[in-house]
Structure formats: C-alpha cells, structure tokens
C-alpha cells in the first residue's frame, strides 16, 4: 500500500501570496490546486499580515497538508521590502506551526533548480515546466501561484535528501534551531 501525503507550497508576499497543493501517492505527484491571495487593494500592512495568516490557516484546515514548503525571502537591496517579505513569510510559517504542520524553507534558486534544472530560470520558465510536469491546462495570469506550486514540487523532489533547507516541526523546534536569533 502506497503512502499518500499532501504538500502545501507557499510563495509569501505582501502584494500577492501564491500557493499550490499537490498530492503525493507513492512516488507520483498529482496536482490539486493553485491560487493566490491578492492583497493589492489593502493599504494597511498589518491587515495584510492578518489576511496571510488567516488564509494559510484556512488552507491547512481545508486540505490538511502533511507538510508545508515555503519560499525563503531573497536578499535584495531594498531593506524595507525584505522586512515586509520576511514578515509575510513569518506569519505563514506561524500559521503552519500553530497547526503543527512541518515546514521546510527553500531558497528561490533551489526551487528554480529543482523545477527547471536552472537556478536562474525566469518565473515563466518555471510556470511552463510545471504546466508540463503536472499537465496543467492553463497558467494563471500572475505567476505567484505557480511559484507557490513550485515550492511544493521542489519539496517533493527533495524528499529524503539531507540538508534540503530549514525544517521546523513546531514552535519548540523553531526556537531551538534559531536560538542565536532569539533574545533571552
């Protein structure tokens, strides 16, 4: 009997949060859903964070993922953008941790490499490869949703490999692995 599991992939953002779900049966992945949470119409950054948290909880409670794969913030020149992106990722992670769903972070390069074989691939190249891999009929207008799906597929491809990214099974594990960042 082959084991089944559901992986939720999240591309956090304060303008658009993309997400995708795959079901893994044995060694085969099946597409379940991809979508996005559009936050452009909201001006209040804290409201956006609340909505990201609530949508992530809703996804977890609806689909019961066994694992979450999340894209780690990339290092850019704009410190304010990095801070906002880190907060978006943090509240999505907090939602998963509050439901005790194991989380693994992947860098954007690692995700692109897993999907296309090229760590510098464009969003369009990643989306087209996912379309081919999962037999998607159409692609969304915004590619944040496919970026979320790509995180889930990357996690599937990296299962069982050592040192895939940072993984957290709950708050205790998160605190223990980040003791150097936590003020005592």
């Amino acid at each position: 009997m082959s084991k089944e599991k559901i992986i939720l992939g999240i591309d956090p953002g304060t303008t658009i949060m993309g997400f995708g779900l795959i079901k893994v049966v044995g060694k085969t992945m099946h597409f379940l859903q991809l979508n996005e949470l559009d936050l452009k119409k909201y001006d209040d950054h804290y409201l956006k964070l609340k909505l990201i948290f609530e949508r992530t909880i809703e996804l977890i409670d609806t689909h019961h993922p066994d694992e979450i794969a999340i894209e780690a913030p990339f290092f850019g020149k704009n410190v304010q953008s990095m801070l906002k992106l880190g907060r978006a990722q943090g509240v999505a992670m907090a939602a998963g941790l509050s439901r005790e769903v194991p989380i693994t972070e992947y860098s954007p390069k690692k995700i692109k490499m897993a999907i296309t074989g090229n760590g510098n691939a464009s969003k369009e190249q990643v989306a087209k490869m996912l379309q081919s891999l999962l037999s998607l009929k159409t692609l969304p207008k915004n590619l944040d949703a496919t970026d979320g799906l790509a995180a889930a597929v990357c996690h599937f491809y990296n299962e069982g490999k050592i040192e895939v990214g940072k993984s957290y099974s709950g708050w205790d594990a998160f605190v223990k692995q980040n003791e150097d960042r936590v003020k005592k």
Side-chain angles (χ1 to χ4, degrees):
M1 190 162 123
S2 59
K3 187 178 180 297
E4 287 187 15
K5 74 175 168 181
I6 294 175
I7 302 170
L8 168 62
I10 299 175
D11 176 27
T14 55
T15 305
I16 297 174
M17 177 184 93
F19 57 89
L21 288 136
I22 59 171
K23 181 184 283 211
V24 177
V25 181
K27 295 183 185 237
T28 308
M29 66 179 158
H30 304 277
F31 170 74
L32 291 178
Q33 178 186 359
L34 84 153
N35 209 332
E36 60 191 35
L37 173 62
D38 188 346
L39 299 160
K40 286 183 240 149
K41 62 185 171 217
Y42 304 102
D43 292 329
D44 184 343
H45 181 67
Y46 299 105
L47 175 59
K48 290 180 179 188
L49 295 175
K50 178 180 180 276
L51 294 170
I52 291 167
F53 183 86
E54 289 173 348
R55 182 65 173 127
T56 305
I57 288 288
E58 181 185 331
L59 287 165
I60 293 167
D61 290 349
T62 302
H63 299 283
H64 308 287
D66 299 284
E67 298 168 4
I68 296 174
I70 192 162
E71 185 173 308
F74 57 90
F75 297 97
K77 291 186 173 133
N78 186 330
V79 176
Q80 284 302 314
S81 294
M82 280 283 304
L83 181 61
K84 287 179 181 178
L85 195 57
R87 288 175 174 170
Q89 182 200 32
V91 295
M93 290 172 76
L97 292 168
S98 75
R99 292 294 197 259
E100 297 185 6
V101 181
I103 299 168
T104 304
E105 289 181 79
Y106 295 95
S107 71
K109 268 190 181 303
K110 178 108 178 166
I111 293 171
K112 291 174 181 179
M113 187 67 160
I115 306 303
T116 68
N118 175 3
N120 296 313
S122 67
K123 280 181 173 278
E124 293 76 17
Q125 288 170 316
V126 170
K128 285 289 187 190
M129 185 59 82
L130 287 171
Q131 186 174 30
S132 174
L133 287 168
L134 297 167
S135 303
L136 304 176
K137 289 183 179 27
T138 59
L139 290 173
K141 186 178 72 164
N142 295 319
L143 298 181
D144 298 273
T146 51
D147 285 352
L149 184 61
V153 173
C154 172
H155 187 66
F156 166 73
Y157 285 148
N158 282 282
E159 187 174 47
K161 291 186 180 173
I162 299 169
E163 197 62 41
V164 293
K166 289 186 179 178
S167 296
Y168 310 111
S169 57
W171 283 114
D172 291 338
F174 178 83
V175 170
K176 188 170 183 149
Q177 289 183 35
N178 291 283
E179 285 176 341
D180 57 320
R181 293 194 226 169
V182 178
K183 287 187 178 182
K184 306 234 180 215

